[in-house]
Amino acid sequence: MDAAGMIRISIMKSITHDNINTKGFTLVELMATIVVISFMVLGIANLYYSSQTAERKSNYLDQATRAAQREIEILRSNRYNSLTAGETINFTSDLPASLPKNSSGSVLVSEPLAGLKRVDVTVSYTDGGKQQKVVLSSLIGEIGLSK
C-alpha cells in the first residue's frame, strides 16, 4: 500500500460512527417532536371549541328558561279572567335579544278543571342548526294557585 492509500484508510477510520459529534437533534427527532406538539395543540384547540359550544348552549337554555318564567309571572300577575281557554298568546317580541334570531315564544291556555287554568309556555330557538325548545307549565287559579 502506498502512502496515499494509508492516508485514505486513516481518514476513513476517523470518520466512523464512534467519532461523529452527536450533539444536537436528528431530523427524525425534530419531526417526531413537531408531530407530538401538533397533536397537543389540536387537542387543546378542540377542548377550547367544545367549552365555547357548551357555554353558548348553556347561555341560550338559561335565557330561554328565564324568558318562559318571566312570561308565567306576567300571566300570574294578570287577572285569572283575562286568560281564555284555547287561546294562544305570542310573546316573541318580549324575548331577550341574546337569543338567536328567529326565536319564538308562545303560551297555550287550557282549563283542565273549572276555576283552574293551565298555561304552557314554549320558547323555541335554533342552536347549531338544531331546533331547541323550552316548555314550562303552570297552573293559575281564580285566587292564586287554589281557592
Side-chain angles (χ1 to χ4, degrees):
M1 217 183 229
D2 64 349
M6 293 293 277
I7 293 175
R8 265 190 239 136
I9 291 175
S10 173
I11 291 174
M12 293 297 276
K13 284 183 180 178
S14 67
I15 303 181
T16 62
H17 183 66
D18 295 336
N19 293 335
I20 295 176
N21 187 359
T22 57
K23 293 180 182 176
F25 299 103
T26 65
L27 184 59
V28 173
E29 291 172 327
L30 287 174
M31 294 296 285
T33 303
I34 289 171
V35 168
V36 169
I37 290 174
S38 297
F39 279 120
M40 290 172 48
V41 168
L42 285 174
I44 291 170
N46 188 28
L47 180 64
Y48 177 77
Y49 176 75
S50 296
S51 69
Q52 291 295 316
T53 302
E55 181 181 356
R56 185 192 72 240
K57 287 182 178 189
S58 174
N59 185 35
Y60 287 162
L61 180 62
D62 180 55
Q63 292 297 317
T65 303
R66 288 176 188 261
Q69 289 173 336
R70 185 178 59 248
E71 188 63 23
I72 287 174
E73 292 305 317
I74 289 170
L75 294 171
R76 282 183 183 279
S77 68
N78 291 340
R79 297 188 149 216
Y80 168 85
N81 293 331
S82 68
L83 298 172
T84 306
E87 176 185 23
T88 300
I89 303 167
N90 186 333
F91 67 99
T92 301
S93 60
D94 297 333
L95 291 175
S98 58
L99 280 173
K101 292 180 180 177
N102 299 326
S103 298
S104 65
S106 64
V107 178
L108 178 62
V109 181
S110 60
E111 190 169 7
L113 298 171
L116 188 65
K117 298 210 178 151
R118 176 183 169 136
V119 291
D120 296 311
V121 180
T122 303
V123 177
S124 301
Y125 60 95
T126 304
D127 181 23
K130 294 182 181 178
Q131 186 70 21
Q132 302 293 330
K133 188 181 290 189
V134 172
V135 179
L136 298 180
S137 297
S138 182
L139 298 173
I140 301 174
E142 285 185 76
I143 303 174
L145 291 174
S146 62
K147 282 188 172 185

